[in-house]
Amino acid sequence: MRRGIVLGLMILTTTAHSVQAQPRQSIWDGVYSEEQASRGQSLFQQSCARCHGANLAGTFETPPLVGRFVPYWAGTTMDVLFDYVSTAMPLDHPGALSAGANADIVAFLLKANGFPAGAKEFGTTSEAQKTISFDAVRPMQKKKSAKAR
């Protein structure tokens, strides 16, 4: 019994350490490319605009994808948003788009909400998306210590 408890604690400690070891990014770190957002804009117009509007403002029945969109997803990681888009949208045919198309649309949504582009494209794997936090405001930069100067 005692061995089982000790073994369980060792596994929990190892798991917690590996989760903490993953580098964390913010959507403010440029997690999509301009090219990807451009593709996403075209896909959005084809698959999403009929409900959310060409300007992403939504309608009486569908929510906007700019403005109040940001606080709604704030505090989550990008896998949550990607999973929702992938499984629930488009409303008339949920899950119909490929993972790549959904990633492009998410990149467009980030761009439309003022988040900066970067060199890499937003990926389609849950593991990578879990390391990206959806921060409503830009995180403060860590100050360099006096010794590093």
Side-chain angles (χ1 to χ4, degrees):
M1 175 75 168
R2 190 176 200 175
R3 269 191 171 158
I5 292 172
V6 170
L7 181 60
L9 288 174
M10 288 174 58
I11 291 170
L12 283 175
T13 304
T14 304
T15 304
H17 185 279
S18 66
V19 168
Q20 291 175 348
Q22 293 178 346
R24 299 294 294 175
Q25 281 185 291
S26 169
I27 54 176
W28 292 95
D29 295 331
V31 297
Y32 69 91
S33 71
E34 285 288 344
E35 181 180 330
Q36 184 179 32
S38 179
R39 291 191 312 263
Q41 183 174 13
S42 295
L43 289 165
F44 179 89
Q45 295 306 323
Q46 294 168 14
S47 303
C48 313
R50 67 182 167 270
C51 293
H52 291 283
N55 62 357
L56 292 86
T59 66
F60 182 72
E61 296 175 352
T62 56
L65 298 177
V66 291
R68 72 178 189 179
F69 170 83
V70 173
Y72 183 81
W73 294 100
T76 64
T77 52
M78 289 302 293
D79 64 306
V80 177
L81 173 58
F82 182 81
D83 183 59
Y84 180 76
V85 170
S86 297
T87 59
M89 297 290 136
L91 192 58
D92 62 344
H93 199 49
L97 301 176
S98 70
N102 287 315
D104 291 352
I105 290 169
V106 168
F108 171 62
L109 296 177
L110 292 174
K111 180 177 181 163
N113 281 280
F115 297 105
K120 288 182 165 183
E121 292 201 348
F122 178 67
T124 58
T125 65
S126 178
E127 294 79 27
Q129 295 166 356
K130 285 179 182 179
T131 66
I132 305 169
S133 59
F134 195 113
D135 300 312
V137 295
R138 185 184 300 268
M140 293 179 50
Q141 296 292 330
K142 294 180 182 179
K143 292 183 179 182
K144 293 181 181 179
S145 66
K147 292 180 181 179
R149 291 182 190 178

